[in-house]
Amino acid sequence: YTPADNDRRLAGAFLHAPDAVIADLEDSVAFSAKEQARVNIREWLQRGQAGDGERWVRVNANVVGLDDIAAVFTPGVFGFCLPKVSSASELVRVDELLDSLEARFHLPSQSIWLMPLIESAAALVALDEIARAPRVLKLQLGELDLAADLGIQPDINETELSPLRMQVVVSSVAAGIVAPVGAVSSNFTDDEAFRVTTERLKRSGFVGRAAIHPNQLPSIHRTFAATAEEVAIARSRIQLYESSLAAGTGAVRSSDGHMIDEAVVRSSRRILAQFESERGQENR
């Protein structure tokens, strides 16, 4: 996340090698600065360069967000991050607006993505419908707002957040969309705590994590990148299983004593897909 009222920060955001930058028009921008932030975003999107990551924009909630989208839209935008979404109907209205904007700018239909932020009890109740709404690529948790809405006070291990996180993971998988993005941490000075909580998100099925400071990016990249050992094991298990199938058998025992079947191979394929995606990012 990069505040859009600071054109210098926005211009240099990709120097820190994130996979994506979300230019923020919402909470990090004062009301008096929002119009200038819109101008900054339009210019930033128009300056997009090959090799940069995805360019997202977090707009404001509700009707103001629709105005934001119309004001900043240019062909350089990858998608819009929508805060405080509570129902799929809100996403349908955004979809209709984007249909008209894509037509105006001669872009392919349905080429602009949406990333709803899950930040309320209402959003959790409507989670399955939100995940299946038009253009939704992935979901992102807004845990600070969510905790405030629910009146919970997470402990140091974030135990109280675990079932909420799993709801988002399950709904994402069931809807067939990309695995969700973990919430930001407002503490960017405790590197060890950030590493621990980021690793917990990975084990819980998240595919990445949002950051509010460049110092958080190395920890996120190290945690979610497939290691050389993970890739080697995944390839070995896939090859062993495919050889077993070719020989007319099914599950097979690996040399290290593990039973390899279709469920294990599905996880191995996911690791390889992630690795290939990371290589693609590096070669842009």
Side-chain angles (χ1 to χ4, degrees):
Y1 281 101
T2 302
D5 59 339
N6 189 318
D7 59 346
R8 181 180 58 81
R9 284 189 189 176
L10 205 53
F14 279 110
L15 296 177
H16 303 288
D19 297 313
V21 169
I22 303 175
D24 190 22
L25 264 172
E26 198 211 10
D27 286 349
S28 68
V29 178
F31 181 79
S32 61
K34 289 190 185 290
E35 190 53 46
Q36 182 59 50
R38 285 177 172 182
V39 173
N40 293 344
I41 288 176
R42 284 197 300 270
E43 294 176 351
W44 175 68
L45 291 173
Q46 291 165 356
R47 291 196 303 266
Q49 298 179 5
D52 285 348
E54 299 168 1
R55 292 178 181 241
W56 291 80
V57 178
R58 179 168 73 168
V59 296
N60 290 280
N62 304 318
V63 176
V64 178
L66 295 175
D67 293 338
D68 287 335
I69 292 172
V72 307
F73 191 92
T74 74
V77 67
F78 185 86
F80 291 94
C81 188
L82 306 177
K84 300 174 178 61
V85 171
S86 59
S87 70
S89 62
E90 299 169 41
L91 301 176
V92 171
R93 290 198 296 272
V94 176
D95 174 54
E96 292 170 350
L97 172 60
L98 290 175
D99 280 343
S100 65
L101 290 168
E102 286 168 340
R104 184 191 307 172
F105 285 87
H106 307 290
L107 295 175
S109 177
Q110 299 288 304
S111 60
I112 308 300
W113 295 102
L114 297 178
M115 186 188 335
L117 271 162
I118 307 304
E119 302 181 283
S120 67
L124 290 174
V125 170
L127 200 51
D128 288 343
E129 290 78 12
I130 291 172
R132 290 182 168 87
R135 299 178 183 267
V136 173
L137 177 66
K138 64 183 78 172
L139 304 175
Q140 184 181 154
L141 264 175
E143 290 179 350
L144 297 176
D145 285 282
L146 185 57
D149 191 53
L150 296 175
I152 63 176
Q153 299 177 359
D155 63 16
I156 191 170
N157 295 316
E158 302 178 336
T159 307
E160 294 77 10
L161 295 171
S162 294
L164 311 179
R165 291 171 174 171
M166 290 312 303
Q167 276 188 259
V168 176
V169 172
V170 170
S171 291
S172 297
V173 174
I177 61 176
V178 176
V181 176
V184 302
S185 171
S186 59
N187 184 351
F188 52 84
T189 59
D190 190 337
D191 294 339
E192 178 61 16
F194 188 76
R195 180 189 66 79
V196 170
T197 57
T198 303
E199 289 177 352
R200 188 176 296 122
L201 287 168
K202 180 182 180 180
R203 292 194 300 271
S204 298
F206 287 76
V207 75
R209 185 173 196 178
I212 60 170
H213 194 281
N215 289 347
Q216 296 174 323
L217 293 175
S219 181
I220 294 172
H221 285 152
R222 283 193 302 269
T223 299
F224 286 99
T227 67
E229 181 180 9
E230 288 173 334
V231 170
I233 291 173
R235 283 177 171 157
S236 174
R237 289 178 173 175
I238 292 171
Q239 290 170 358
L240 182 62
Y241 183 65
E242 289 178 346
S243 296
S244 178
L245 291 179
T249 57
V252 62
R253 179 179 173 178
S254 65
S255 59
D256 58 358
H258 286 80
M259 189 269 290
I260 310 300
D261 63 2
E262 180 59 33
V264 173
V265 170
R266 282 177 63 192
S267 296
S268 296
R269 292 191 184 112
R270 185 178 295 114
I271 290 171
L272 284 187
Q274 176 189 350
F275 175 68
E276 293 300 329
S277 175
E278 291 161 3
R279 289 180 60 185
Q281 294 274 2
E282 293 171 358
N283 294 331
R284 277 192 313 230

